Amino acid sequence: MAEKIFHVCEIMIGTIVNTCTIVTGTLIGVVLHKGIKEKYKSVLYDALGLACFAIGLNAVVTNLPKSHYPVLFIAAMAIGSVVGVALDIDGRFHRLVERKSKSDRSGNASGARLADGLATATLVYCIGPLSMLGPVISALQGDHTFLFTNATLDLVTATIFGSTYGVGMLLAAPVLFLWQGMFYCVALLSSTAVSEALMAELLIVGGLLITGSGLSLLRIKDCHVLNMLPALAIPPLWYLIVWLIG
């Protein structure tokens, strides 16, 4: 039993390190939080918004030429958004976080801000070439370079998120672990299941979601990105249908 656990930890060392850097960065940010004045917190919001906007737009522009179905991302966003609104994902998530978090005298983030922060952080941590391709390459080739690079970037990002939104940002760490773990499992079960074409479609949709988060952080437009999350399920479903028909 111990050998099996050690083997799992060995092949998932990249994801474990990535998860730990998010926890570490968040805690560092929380410790620094009290020493950061409000004007600096405001500029951090703007910096995060611009970074998210750039990262998301880059993912879309980079992967759109690789798409085998140029209109799939449009259908995914439309269908996913309708499903998300019907399920009221954004509203449920905000209400849940608001019940679990409270404002305090030191000026920590309110429940609504924490919910926005968690939504944005989860997307930034999970939706990206390094975070999605990294587990696949680690599982198939034993190369953890992508994930170690991603961990370094997430350490800095988590510090900013922690200082801005508070200790509640730790909740994004287990989400990242499960997300990357899913790619590990799929890659180990079938090396052809996560194709480059499917990855491109996921990165296009994910890039749009991150761009939407950037717009929300910049207070340009609240896109209610959480309601759009079901869009990520549409490309895999489409490729599954194509595979079954073919």
Side-chain angles (χ1 to χ4, degrees), residues 62-73 195-202 204 235 238-239 242:
T62 301
N63 290 280
L64 198 55
K66 303 176 185 178
S67 175
H68 292 185
Y69 305 97
V71 298
L72 179 58
F73 78 96
S195 64
E196 291 185 6
L198 173 56
M199 191 67 67
E201 300 295 346
L202 286 171
I204 292 170
W238 171 255
Y239 272 81
V242 171

Side-chain angles (χ1 to χ4, degrees), residues 27 94 105 117 122 132 139 147 161 179 198-199 221 224 232:
L27 293 177
H94 276 74
R105 295 178 183 177
T122 299
M132 296 169 72
L147 289 179
F161 275 122
W179 173 257
L198 173 56
M199 191 67 67
K221 168 68 177 178
H224 300 287
L232 287 169

Side-chain angles (χ1 to χ4, degrees), residues 105-175:
R105 295 178 183 177
S106 64
N108 283 340
S110 66
R113 284 179 59 196
L114 176 58
D116 291 335
L118 277 173
T120 302
T122 299
L123 287 169
V124 170
Y125 295 150
C126 296
I127 308 299
L130 295 175
S131 188
M132 296 169 72
L133 288 174
V136 176
I137 294 174
S138 293
L140 299 180
Q141 302 177 9
D143 184 356
H144 309 298
T145 304
F146 274 26
L147 289 179
F148 288 155
T149 302
N150 196 57
T152 304
L153 296 172
D154 284 349
L155 176 64
V156 177
T157 306
T159 301
I160 298 175
F161 275 122
S163 65
T164 306
Y165 294 101
V167 73
M169 298 306 294
L170 287 172
L171 294 174
V175 175

Side-chain angles (χ1 to χ4, degrees), residues 23-53:
V23 173
T24 302
T26 300
L27 293 177
I28 292 174
V30 170
V31 171
L32 295 176
H33 174 77
K34 293 183 179 180
I36 301 178
K37 296 181 180 179
E38 194 61 38
K39 62 180 180 180
Y40 297 118
K41 295 176 187 175
S42 177
V43 78
L44 283 176
Y45 271 109
D46 293 339
L48 280 171
L50 287 171
C52 289
F53 187 84

Side-chain angles (χ1 to χ4, degrees), residues 80-131:
S81 297
V82 170
V83 172
V85 170
L87 296 175
D88 192 23
I89 298 175
D90 185 82
R92 291 173 187 270
F93 185 74
H94 276 74
R95 288 191 292 272
L96 175 63
V97 175
E98 285 169 8
R99 286 200 299 267
K100 297 296 183 182
S101 62
K102 299 177 181 178
S103 298
D104 60 25
R105 295 178 183 177
S106 64
N108 283 340
S110 66
R113 284 179 59 196
L114 176 58
D116 291 335
L118 277 173
T120 302
T122 299
L123 287 169
V124 170
Y125 295 150
C126 296
I127 308 299
L130 295 175
S131 188

Side-chain angles (χ1 to χ4, degrees), residues 176-208:
L176 172 85
F177 183 84
L178 294 174
W179 173 257
Q180 291 188 359
M182 177 190 70
F183 280 96
Y184 266 109
C185 293
V186 172
L188 289 174
L189 291 173
S190 174
S191 59
T192 60
V194 187
S195 64
E196 291 185 6
L198 173 56
M199 191 67 67
E201 300 295 346
L202 286 171
L203 289 172
I204 292 170
V205 175
L208 286 172

